[in-house]
Amino acid sequence: MKRQLYVLMLTILVVVMSELQIAGMMPAIADDFGVSTGQVGLLVSLYALGMAIGGPLLAFVFRHNPPKRSLLTVVAAYAVLEVMVPLVHAYWWVALVRILTGCLAGAGFGLSVTFGARLAPRPEKIGEAISVVLGGIMVGTVIGLPLSHFIAGRWGWQSSFYVLGAAAFLLFAVSAVALPSLAAATQDDAAQDVRNLRSPRLWSRYLVSLLTVGAAYASFSYFTPLLEQSADFATDTTTLILLGYGVFSYVGNLIVGKFADQYAVKVLRFGHTLLFVSLGLLALRGHVPAVALGMVLVVGLAGVTMNPALVTRVAEVGGVGNLVSTVHTAVITMGVTLGTAISAITISLFGDDPAVAMWTGAAFAVLAALVLATQTRRTASTSPIVASLSAGGEQSAEVKS
């Protein structure tokens, strides 16, 4: 099982690296097309828009297909589109392909999470299995931006798309061999997956995911100016600290995965508390190098690493169907966008100080904790997860709102 989960992790890794590759090549692309850096930055937003809107739509289209066939279709199309980006030297073309690859990325993300849940040996191991798959987020975040920056500096920004396209083709071949063929969802399971989206309890848990991820990215997006301008770290040192952040995130993700199945609520409460305290200290004492270093690493442990617990909470009421998982991916993507956008607004309103972004992230953490506190905890005799796996399908038993 572990080997297959790591193959799924590679899918998430490629998706995240592709999302971040533009950010590492902004000056080169802007100069080549004769557009502003802001217009190049829009390409990142268009990718996220594709994930948020197109991902669930593709999940709906694939709802009756076997998961392996669906995932291979997505990865193959993704690889083709990646290598097509440099073929037409026009900004509109790159923008169009980024939207399409974003759609495929959203679908691939949801399919990977659903596949990982179905590969769990028993229901109480779903969170642990998903934590392995989601490790691709942490690894992709660490290497995606610097790798694209390095490739663009050596061989031109177009080469980055060729490299990721080749990686996707290789992933297709590995997935075709390594992943097992699982049965497609039945008509009833697919219909239940759609019905689950009507549950207010499910959307309440989606909201916790949105606010939790928003808290992490509202601050993470401004770590570089905080470390370099406030704490006065050198550029090379900041790079090492951010790499450390990535390592701590990967380790934290695995730790959360160990406890997510049995203690999801406690994990989230502890994580929200850690986020609030660490971001508050960064806002108040971020100019002190030791505090800045320590608290950035703590945020690495307690930020996006809560994803396995968030996924487990969603699966408890919505099951592990592909549509529910892909919509959850869309919500998480919106959390990234919302957190970054709100921090940009608060900084413009209250002064060009990274500490403002830290307070913004702390506010998101408080809101996430409050929403979590309002959610009732009840245990059904048969949870959606157990019903889903025992039936061998991708979907859950009917959830009562």
Side-chain angles (χ1 to χ4, degrees), residues 159-206:
S159 300
S160 175
F161 288 95
Y162 290 132
V163 169
L164 271 181
F169 277 119
L170 179 61
L171 175 62
F172 173 86
V174 172
S175 299
V177 174
L179 293 180
S181 296
L182 303 180
T186 65
Q187 292 283 346
D188 289 342
D189 288 336
Q192 184 59 53
D193 196 20
V194 176
R195 286 195 294 271
N196 285 343
L197 291 175
R198 302 173 187 169
S199 168
R201 293 179 65 211
L202 175 63
W203 285 95
S204 176
R205 297 190 182 197
Y206 280 161

Side-chain angles (χ1 to χ4, degrees), residues 78-387:
Y78 194 92
V80 171
L81 286 173
E82 274 288 298
V83 298
M84 287 177 64
V85 170
L87 299 183
V88 178
H89 190 266
Y91 176 83
W92 67 266
W93 170 255
V94 178
L96 174 62
V97 177
R98 290 293 288 178
I99 293 174
L100 295 176
T101 51
C103 294
L104 293 167
F109 206 116
L111 283 165
S112 297
V113 171
T114 301
F115 215 135
R118 290 190 63 184
L119 289 176
R122 50 188 185 275
E124 60 270 23
K125 288 290 186 179
I126 285 179
E128 186 175 347
I130 289 174
S131 71
V132 175
V133 177
L134 294 180
I137 298 176
M138 290 70 192
V139 179
T141 301
V142 172
I143 67 176
L145 192 149
L147 181 62
S148 64
H149 180 75
F150 173 81
I151 293 174
R154 296 298 188 279
W155 302 291
W157 65 267
Q158 294 90 342
S159 300
S160 175
F161 288 95
Y162 290 132
V163 169
L164 271 181
F169 277 119
L170 179 61
L171 175 62
F172 173 86
V174 172
S175 299
V177 174
L179 293 180
S181 296
L182 303 180
T186 65
Q187 292 283 346
D188 289 342
D189 288 336
Q192 184 59 53
D193 196 20
V194 176
R195 286 195 294 271
N196 285 343
L197 291 175
R198 302 173 187 169
S199 168
R201 293 179 65 211
L202 175 63
W203 285 95
S204 176
R205 297 190 182 197
Y206 280 161
L207 180 58
V208 174
S209 297
L210 179 123
L211 294 172
T212 301
V213 174
Y217 276 90
S219 54
F220 173 76
S221 303
Y222 294 90
F223 276 172
T224 297
L226 177 85
L227 292 169
E228 294 183 357
Q229 298 170 16
S230 301
D232 203 28
F233 283 110
T235 301
D236 290 344
T237 305
T238 297
T239 301
L240 292 176
I241 294 173
L242 293 178
L243 286 172
Y245 168 92
V247 172
F248 271 63
S249 294
Y250 184 75
V251 172
N253 177 71
L254 296 179
I255 293 173
V256 170
K258 292 288 185 181
F259 296 99
D261 294 296
Q262 291 184 323
Y263 307 104
V265 173
K266 291 181 179 179
V267 166
L268 291 175
R269 286 174 178 165
F270 183 70
H272 292 148
T273 302
L274 266 185
L275 265 182
F276 176 76
V277 171
S278 58
L279 292 175
L281 285 173
L282 282 172
L284 293 171
R285 306 292 292 173
H287 60 280
V288 179
V291 174
L293 169 62
M295 291 305 101
V296 164
L297 297 179
V298 170
V299 174
L301 279 175
V304 293
T305 56
M306 285 190 275
N307 262 318
L310 296 171
V311 171
T312 298
R313 291 272 293 161
V314 164
E316 285 173 354
V317 298
V320 292
N322 186 36
L323 191 57
V324 167
S325 297
T326 305
V327 171
H328 193 205
T329 298
V331 170
I332 289 173
T333 301
M334 287 187 283
V336 174
T337 304
L338 182 66
T340 304
I342 296 297
S343 279
I345 292 171
T346 54
I347 284 178
S348 66
L349 291 175
F350 300 106
D352 191 14
D353 185 350
V356 176
M358 304 305 115
W359 283 124
T360 304
F364 267 94
V366 171
L367 289 174
L370 290 175
V371 174
L372 179 65
T374 64
Q375 296 173 356
T376 58
R377 297 175 60 190
R378 60 182 183 177
T379 304
S381 58
T382 303
S383 73
I385 302 176
V386 175

